[in-house]
Amino acid sequence: MAYNISFEEDTEPTIFDSKLGGLPYWDFGSEREFPTDSEGNKMQLLFQINIEKSQDVFAGDELLPKTGMLQFFISPSDNAFGLNFDGTGLGDGFAVVYHEEINYDATREAVEDAGVPLGAGDFSTPVLKECAARFEKCDGDVANGIFAKAEFTQDPPEFFDESLLVLLQLDSSGNEDYMMWGDEGIGNFFITEDDLRNRKFENVLYNWDCC
């Protein structure tokens, strides 16, 4: 089973909603450290999924968690969107974070006061506009999705093989109002089934390419 991602421009998302870009959810009252890049800069949100609020779609999925928030961050330090271009899919320019529980007492003001980048409308992110995201079940042949068929504008990266799951795929094509990966590019995050079942999101691999 795969899930198509669509964007709702007219809905203003909160820090608790599934969305593209903007300020992320984070509980700064917890002991968990906010992700930073190699230069010590707080990362910016690329995408987040409120899994427990999307159980009307995800219910019954054997791989995804049943609760919490899954977030994808990239470095704000350059215009490479956190990618190191060495073909490994690894690096310290991105982070995938899973919160098993969401503290709904957390506030946007606390995130702003912590100096977290906005994550939209800047050269350092492909996100042009923050917008809410919605999910629906599909066959996997979609541009934007979870467990979608992997798509690339050039050759697949060196690390790629067909056994990897697409944890997130975001495509510029047809979504130019919301995001732009270079010149009509695509961003992908990959994980093995075993790592997903064991919630080892630190092992996620990342790639993006463009025409």
Side-chain angles (χ1 to χ4, degrees):
M1 181 59 66
Y3 304 95
N4 179 61
I5 300 171
S6 59
F7 303 110
E8 297 186 354
E9 183 176 355
D10 296 332
T11 301
E12 185 174 349
T14 73
I15 63 169
F16 302 108
D17 290 326
S18 299
K19 62 180 182 177
L20 176 73
L23 287 177
Y25 161 79
W26 201 269
D27 180 9
F28 280 97
S30 71
E31 296 182 357
R32 191 166 197 174
E33 293 187 3
F34 193 88
T36 57
D37 62 18
S38 60
E39 298 180 13
N41 298 309
K42 287 183 172 65
M43 292 192 179
Q44 57 192 338
L45 181 69
L46 175 66
F47 196 83
Q48 69 180 23
I49 306 167
N50 187 322
I51 297 172
E52 61 193 43
K53 280 192 172 183
S54 304
Q55 281 304 300
D56 58 327
V57 179
F58 297 147
D61 193 287
E62 297 182 354
L63 295 178
L64 290 173
K66 301 296 186 289
T67 63
M69 183 85 76
L70 184 61
Q71 299 174 306
F72 300 80
F73 292 93
I74 58 174
S75 169
S77 297
D78 56 41
N79 59 2
F81 307 151
L83 189 66
N84 62 14
F85 294 105
D86 67 356
T88 66
L90 302 171
D92 52 16
F94 74 98
V96 179
V97 177
Y98 173 57
H99 305 266
E100 187 174 358
E101 297 181 355
I102 299 174
N103 178 6
Y104 286 97
D105 290 327
T107 66
R108 178 185 178 93
E109 290 73 22
V111 177
E112 291 175 331
D113 291 345
V116 176
L118 180 58
D122 184 87
F123 76 92
S124 64
T125 174
V127 179
L128 303 178
K129 181 186 299 183
E130 175 187 15
C131 54
R134 297 292 180 267
F135 311 98
E136 60 182 351
K137 294 179 180 179
C138 66
D139 62 6
D141 191 13
V142 293
N144 302 285
I146 301 167
F147 304 151
K149 177 185 176 183
E151 299 287 348
F152 310 96
T153 58
Q154 300 186 32
D155 293 333
E158 295 177 22
F159 67 79
F160 178 75
D161 69 65
E162 296 292 341
S163 68
L164 289 169
L165 300 175
V166 176
L167 189 59
L168 177 68
Q169 181 165 279
L170 298 172
D171 189 347
S172 304
S173 181
N175 297 286
E176 293 87 351
D177 290 340
Y178 311 120
M179 66 180 134
M180 183 58 63
W181 296 87
D183 183 10
E184 298 285 342
I186 302 173
N188 331 77
F189 293 82
F190 302 95
I191 192 169
T192 67
E193 180 175 331
D194 186 62
D195 281 341
L196 179 53
R197 289 186 182 278
N198 290 287
R199 312 301 183 233
K200 294 184 177 180
F201 294 105
E202 67 274 14
N203 294 337
V204 166
L205 303 173
Y206 166 50
N207 181 73
W208 73 268
D209 62 6
C210 63
C211 300

